[in-house]
Amino acid sequence: MIKWAGWLIAIFGAAHTLLALTVEEAGSHAGDWFGGELWGDDLSAMSSANSAYWLSWNSFGPPLVLIGLTVLWLDRRGIVPPAFIAWVLGVWAVGDIVVLGTSPSPVILLASVLLLVGARRAARLGGPAPAADTTRAP
């Protein structure tokens, strides 16, 4: 269950970012982004280049990829991810569902439930999570 949750989180984040860059054509503003056009942009009256930046590259997508890959990394080492990851993602997903209505956020809610159930099962079957081996090189 933990592995499924990690994959769901990572794929969700990657899909959001890649679809925003391609399908939503946010990537077409990359010249503006790297040309310094956003430096003085007013966030309350956001330009299309700034909006595209926040929708894609600086969205929640890249951090979700990182969280998903971290969950997978922990799982491969037999370390149960801390429950706060699942709780924070779950609360965030519920808030997103309430604010946006129809959205893909239930995928993150499902991943949160899988993480919580997986952590509970691991605790029941094997006791506490093993400590990380800090003597081994990455």
Side-chain angles (χ1 to χ4, degrees), residues 5-95:
W7 279 114
L8 282 172
I9 296 166
I11 290 170
F12 187 91
H16 180 275
T17 304
L18 294 173
L19 290 172
L21 286 169
T22 57
V23 174
E24 294 293 326
E25 299 179 358
S28 67
H29 296 281
D32 295 333
W33 301 343
F34 295 106
E37 297 296 320
L38 304 184
W39 291 4
D41 207 11
D42 180 9
L43 289 178
S44 64
M46 205 176 283
S47 68
S48 60
N50 204 349
S51 178
Y53 176 71
W54 286 98
L55 175 67
S56 59
W57 187 252
N58 208 33
S59 71
F60 60 83
L64 280 181
V65 171
L66 179 64
I67 291 168
L69 293 177
T70 301
V71 167
L72 291 169
W73 184 87
L74 290 168
D75 184 60
R76 276 193 298 274
R77 284 154 182 77
I79 303 169
V80 178
F84 71 81
I85 293 174
W87 284 110
V88 170
L89 286 176
V91 168
W92 174 66
V94 168

Side-chain angles (χ1 to χ4, degrees), residues 90-135:
V91 168
W92 174 66
V94 168
D96 207 23
I97 292 165
V98 169
V99 171
L100 294 177
T102 304
S103 76
S105 293
V107 172
I108 296 298
L109 189 57
L110 171 63
S112 299
V113 170
L114 289 173
L115 270 177
L116 287 172
V117 171
R120 193 174 285 267
R121 278 187 184 174
R124 194 170 16 117
L125 295 175
D133 182 7
T134 58
T135 61

